[in-house]
């Protein structure tokens, strides 16, 4: 990663144009060649610095649903439970965190009803209680992540 | 507003993101039998309807060295949570800020903030600053450092392409 990569990522966090030559538009703003911009985005995707390049969807307006939920997993069972939870395609993210509530995951489903089914399935598989942590209010933060 | 079958196919074709080509929207259209202008029109429509929140990138924080991420949770009186939430969201080191229900008695916290940092000391220093802001401290916040990341995938929408 060099300085140009950082500027490019910074710029792309502001959005990508919907025009016929969007890489050229972005490249011109940064004083780059169109080809160079494409090559750099490809490399950043392939090396995993960018995990997505393209549209980012609003789950609820797509008719789907998202839910953060937590489990209290006995430490000696952690590996086994993690495997069971991660196997579900509805589990989009899963993190181990330092707390009695030690497993935190995000469910993403194509319908709101799918969330309840996924919770029931996790409880059935693990024998543990899922603690849903639905969003009550969102406070707006800038989308930019300084690189 | 209902999506047409063509809309669903377009969203399905975007599952892995935009093609990396000089004319990405033309390339997308070629795979679906749509012309470039039609693809751009449809995608503009998705943006206007709020289904696409933006076209851009998702950055892997850990790959950039921001691998000390923490969920920091606060117990804020209900009548203060909106004000404190707005205040926290305005801090440069806070990347997400949500109000969520308490799960008493085990979980008294109702305001969730995410902090992405290169080391744990940074997180702890910033949390100490936040705790001194007016009317925040009913009880100390809990800092839930991320100890492992198992899975991080995007939600899938649209009609999958054959094959």
């Amino acid at each position: 990663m060099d300085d140009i990569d950082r500027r490019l990522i910074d710029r792309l966090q502001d959005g990508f144009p919907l025009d016929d030559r969007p890489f050229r538009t972005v490249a011109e703003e940064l004083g780059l060649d169109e080809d160079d911009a494409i090559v750099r985005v490809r490399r950043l995707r392939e090396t995993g610095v960018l995990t997505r390049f393209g549209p980012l969807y609003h789950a609820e307006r797509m008719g789907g649903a998202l839910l953060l939920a937590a489990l209290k997993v006995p430490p000696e069972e952690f590996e086994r439970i993690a495997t069971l939870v991660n196997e579900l395609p509805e589990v989009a993210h899963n993190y181990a965190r330092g707390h009695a509530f030690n497993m935190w995951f995000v469910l993403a489903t194509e319908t709101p009803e799918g969330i309840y089914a996924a919770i029931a399935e996790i409880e059935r598989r693990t024998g543990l209680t899922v603690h849903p942590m639905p969003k009550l209010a969102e406070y707006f933060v800038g989308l930019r992540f300084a690189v | 507003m209902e999506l047409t079958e063509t809309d669903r196919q377009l969203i399905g074709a975007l599952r892995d993101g935009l093609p990396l080509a000089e004319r990405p929207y033309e390339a997308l259209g070629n795979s679906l039998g749509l012309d470039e202008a039609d693809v751009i029109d449809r995608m503009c429509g998705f943006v206007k309807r709020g289904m696409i929140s933006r076209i851009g990138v998702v950055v892997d924080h850990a790959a950039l060295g921001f691998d000390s991420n923490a969920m920091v949770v606060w117990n804020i009186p209900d009548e203060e949570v909106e004000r404190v939430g707005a205040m926290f969201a305005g801090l440069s080191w806070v990347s997400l800020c949500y109000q969520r229900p308490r799960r008493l008695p085990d979980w008294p916290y109702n305001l969730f903030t995410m902090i992405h940092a290169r080391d744990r000391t940074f997180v702890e220093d910033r949390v100490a600053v936040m705790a001194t802001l007016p009317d925040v401290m009913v009880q100390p916040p809990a800092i839930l450092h991320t100890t492992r990341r198992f899975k991080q995938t995007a939600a899938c929408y649209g009609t999958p392409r054959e094959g």
Side-chain angles (χ1 to χ4, degrees):
Chain A
M1 275 250 305
D2 61 14
D3 238 34
I4 297 174
D5 288 332
R6 289 192 186 86
R7 286 169 51 215
L8 187 58
I9 294 171
D10 242 17
R11 170 62 188 80
L12 292 174
Q13 289 190 93
D14 288 337
F16 190 66
L18 269 163
D19 64 31
D20 57 351
R21 296 288 285 276
F23 283 103
R24 186 174 65 184
T25 306
V26 167
E28 278 173 0
E29 287 176 35
L30 299 174
L32 303 177
D33 285 341
E34 181 180 28
D35 286 350
D36 188 24
I38 295 172
V39 167
R40 283 173 185 273
V41 172
R42 177 173 296 125
R43 184 169 38 74
L44 291 166
R45 276 289 287 124
E46 285 169 358
T47 55
V49 172
L50 300 178
T51 56
R52 181 159 178 86
F53 169 69
L56 307 174
Y57 296 104
H58 186 295
E60 289 84 357
R61 288 190 198 145
M62 291 295 290
L66 289 175
L67 179 73
L68 175 71
L71 285 174
K72 278 167 124 172
V73 182
E76 66 279 9
E77 296 258 44
F78 203 89
E79 289 302 320
R80 188 177 70 81
I81 301 290
T83 305
L84 293 176
V85 170
N86 294 341
E87 276 170 3
L88 261 77
E90 294 85 356
V91 175
H93 301 235
N94 189 12
Y95 300 92
R97 299 192 186 281
H99 192 274
F101 285 81
N102 52 358
M103 188 180 293
W104 291 78
F105 51 89
V106 174
L107 297 172
T109 57
E110 289 191 29
T111 63
E113 299 74 36
I115 293 286
Y116 302 108
I119 290 173
E121 180 61 15
I122 290 172
E123 293 190 333
R124 193 188 64 78
R125 286 185 182 206
T126 64
L128 299 172
T129 302
V130 171
H131 301 274
M133 303 275 180
K135 175 167 81 179
L136 298 181
E138 177 171 359
Y139 301 99
F140 179 77
V141 296
L143 296 167
R144 296 175 65 86
F145 185 73
V147 295
Chain B
M1 214 183 314
E2 277 299 298
L3 290 176
T4 65
E5 186 49 35
T6 306
D7 289 338
R8 286 179 202 284
Q9 285 173 359
L10 176 56
I11 292 165
L14 286 160
R15 188 161 283 203
D16 296 322
L18 271 178
L20 294 164
E22 282 184 7
R23 305 182 79 106
Y25 305 111
E26 182 188 65
L28 259 181
N30 286 343
S31 68
L32 299 168
L34 300 175
D35 67 29
E36 183 181 40
D38 191 7
V39 170
I40 292 175
D41 273 356
R42 285 174 193 271
M43 289 184 67
C44 282
F46 299 155
V47 172
K48 282 184 189 138
R49 288 148 72 183
M51 295 161 47
I52 290 180
S53 48
R54 68 193 154 114
I55 299 170
V57 292
V58 176
V59 177
D60 182 347
H61 299 130
L64 290 171
F66 288 79
D67 53 5
S68 289
N69 302 327
M71 188 171 82
V72 183
V73 292
W74 308 77
N75 177 6
I76 306 293
D78 287 336
E79 62 277 15
E80 295 292 337
V81 70
E82 192 174 338
R83 191 181 57 78
V84 174
M87 184 164 65
F88 282 177
L91 302 170
S92 62
W93 58 85
V94 172
S95 57
L96 291 171
C97 186
Y98 294 111
Q99 183 193 358
R100 301 184 187 276
R102 296 182 181 85
R103 298 294 180 205
L104 298 172
D106 296 349
W107 188 262
Y109 309 106
N110 61 338
L111 189 63
F112 288 52
T113 52
M114 281 301 303
I115 298 179
H116 291 285
R118 293 183 199 271
D119 60 68
R120 288 190 176 196
T121 310
F122 178 99
V123 173
E124 281 148 19
D125 289 351
R126 294 312 184 275
V127 169
V129 169
M130 292 161 84
T132 64
L133 293 169
D135 306 320
V136 165
M137 278 295 247
V138 173
Q139 71 177 86
I143 302 179
L144 280 70
H145 292 287
T146 305
T147 51
R148 280 170 76 187
R149 179 172 65 167
F150 294 108
K151 199 171 177 185
Q152 194 173 36
T153 54
C156 294
Y157 302 103
T159 309
R161 304 211 37 225
E162 286 174 31

